[in-house]
Amino acid sequence: FQVHYPMPLIRQAKFVRLDQPNTAVDLRKSLDGNLLDGSGNIELEFARSPLVQVSGSVDYLLHYPYGCVEQTTSSLIPWCSVQQLRGVVPAFASQSDERVKSALQAGVDRLLSMQLPDGSFSYWPGSTESVPWAAPYAGMGLVLASKAGANVPLSAMDSLSQNLIGSLRGAADSKSSWELETHARSLYVLALAGKAQPSYQSVLIDRLPLLTPSARALLAAAVAASDPDALETAREIMVSKVPFKGKDDRWMPWSPDDALSLLAWTHIDPNGPEATAAVDRILNDRNPYGHGSTTWMNGWMMLALGAYAEHDKNRAESVAINFETNDGVDALQLSNETPVLTRSLPLGPNLKL
């Protein structure tokens, strides 16, 4: 019998923009020659929006064997964005409402198993040790899931809010950029939960030189989400030329600066050039597998791109594509009724695309 490798020796994700009407494009030129000479399949996904490129992050998070509080939250976030991304991501287009509801609740229930009596969160289920940086992230997962229809007990939300508000008491004195970023994250979650803290927002605005790019974006998002009349203040935070003068003591090797920048701009001006530029940076800065390498990076990417998708204008028109293969021409029609289409073909040296 034949012995096969359990995993592909080569895997490649490529994104091709078809933005020239009546112009033929040879998709083979985008692929690694070693792939075309090998065996396996090529999966093609067609959509009207460049946000189809988030498929790699979706697949990474939905299939990640999550367990800790960060991984659980990151894997919950895509399910909170199904409605915004269903017309873009093929993996979501095929998910039933019942499946989405079940996945949301499963993620919420696991997060609740890590919430401690004081509203904070442990890193693993069964632990009694609170992890301060995890509370706003896990709390954001609960807030988003609740907005998406999951059942989150009011008592859990109340204790979360009280914990986050209490954690802000040291914001005026902290010199740690990581702690200040955590405070900014808390302010954003509290704004989403309807518990905005404008006085603490002002405290962090006064400490702008000690805020990292991620912290500034989170603070701007918190300000904009708290008060529609404060959009100019949020914009000023984002465009501030005040240099960062603190010590970057973040312990994570990756920081989702671009995703958080996009998140802020979706609150301030979702159709502006800054949001579009942030999307381009996110989509161009992923690894060869089409995602952000870690659950933390992918979680923030999904949150930001899901928020942007609510305002995406690229899905308004129907699109016709003549897809020519060895079997002939396949006439594809993308519309509101059929927002995404997929095709699978066997690889080979004579493959025609």
Side-chain angles (χ1 to χ4, degrees):
F1 62 92
Q2 287 187 312
V3 177
H4 299 280
Y5 285 99
M7 295 291 288
L9 290 176
I10 301 177
R11 185 177 185 271
Q12 186 180 35
K14 283 288 185 179
F15 301 92
V16 180
R17 185 177 301 221
L18 306 176
D19 54 5
Q20 299 296 322
N22 303 315
T23 302
V25 176
D26 185 357
L27 299 182
R28 286 172 48 96
K29 293 181 179 178
S30 302
L31 301 175
D32 188 317
N34 292 320
L35 279 174
L36 296 173
D37 293 336
S39 61
N41 290 291
I42 179 172
E43 305 288 335
L44 297 112
E45 301 174 343
F46 299 89
R48 295 173 293 173
S49 168
L51 294 184
V52 69
Q53 300 179 50
V54 307
S55 294
S57 293
V58 172
D59 292 340
Y60 181 88
L61 290 173
L62 296 189
H63 296 97
Y64 194 89
Y66 58 81
C68 74
V69 66
E70 179 272 311
Q71 293 160 353
T72 300
T73 305
S74 296
S75 295
L76 174 61
I77 287 174
W79 294 109
C80 300
S81 304
V82 168
Q83 293 306 319
Q84 298 99 312
L85 294 172
R86 180 168 269 163
V88 175
V89 180
F92 283 158
S94 60
Q95 299 291 342
S96 68
D97 290 341
E98 191 61 33
R99 169 62 178 136
V100 174
K101 181 179 178 181
S102 174
L104 278 169
Q105 197 59 51
V108 166
D109 292 345
R110 184 167 181 84
L111 281 180
L112 292 174
S113 74
M114 290 178 267
Q115 189 175 32
L116 301 177
D118 66 352
S120 65
F121 287 80
S122 63
Y123 202 69
W124 295 99
S127 173
T128 59
E129 181 180 353
S130 176
V131 181
W133 69 264
Y137 192 57
M140 183 178 70
L142 292 182
V143 172
L144 294 174
S146 177
K147 290 178 180 291
N151 179 25
V152 183
L154 183 59
S155 58
M157 297 295 286
D158 286 343
S159 61
L160 165 69
S161 296
Q162 291 304 313
N163 178 270
L164 294 181
I165 293 171
S167 71
L168 293 169
R169 290 177 188 142
D173 301 316
S174 177
K175 293 181 173 57
S176 165
S177 64
W178 175 246
E179 287 182 3
L180 290 170
E181 186 174 313
T182 300
H183 290 321
R185 199 175 302 118
S186 296
L187 288 172
Y188 179 60
V189 176
L190 287 166
L192 291 181
K195 306 282 187 180
Q197 301 293 308
S199 59
Y200 281 119
Q201 292 171 10
S202 297
V203 168
L204 288 200
I205 290 174
D206 291 340
R207 310 201 70 199
L208 208 59
L210 297 179
L211 300 187
T212 62
S214 285
R216 296 185 188 200
L218 285 163
L219 176 58
V223 170
S226 301
D227 182 2
D229 294 329
L231 295 185
E232 189 55 37
T233 299
R235 177 182 289 275
E236 289 173 0
I237 295 171
M238 291 299 295
V239 302
S240 172
K241 300 298 184 182
V242 175
F244 174 64
K245 296 181 179 180
K247 178 182 178 181
D248 192 345
D249 57 355
R250 292 176 291 188
W251 58 273
M252 288 188 180
W254 295 279
S255 183
D257 291 347
D258 289 332
L260 292 172
S261 176
L262 174 59
L263 186 63
W265 285 115
T266 59
H267 285 285
I268 300 167
D269 184 8
N271 297 314
E274 298 90 352
T276 302
V279 170
D280 288 342
R281 290 196 302 272
I282 291 171
L283 297 180
N284 290 325
D285 195 32
R286 292 160 304 140
N287 64 22
Y289 300 103
H291 59 76
S293 299
T294 69
T295 52
W296 176 255
M297 292 288 288
N298 282 298
W300 286 112
M301 284 171 54
M302 286 301 308
L303 176 63
L305 291 169
Y308 178 78
E310 294 188 57
H311 308 277
D312 183 20
K313 296 179 178 179
N314 290 296
R315 293 183 277 167
E317 300 179 358
S318 295
V319 176
I321 301 173
N322 289 323
F323 179 47
E324 187 175 359
T325 69
N326 298 76
D327 297 325
V329 177
D330 187 359
L332 307 178
Q333 190 75 29
L334 299 171
S335 64
N336 289 335
E337 292 72 30
T338 312
V340 295
L341 290 170
T342 61
R343 295 293 186 267
S344 178
L345 300 170
L347 287 169
N350 298 317
L351 176 65
K352 187 176 182 179
L353 293 175

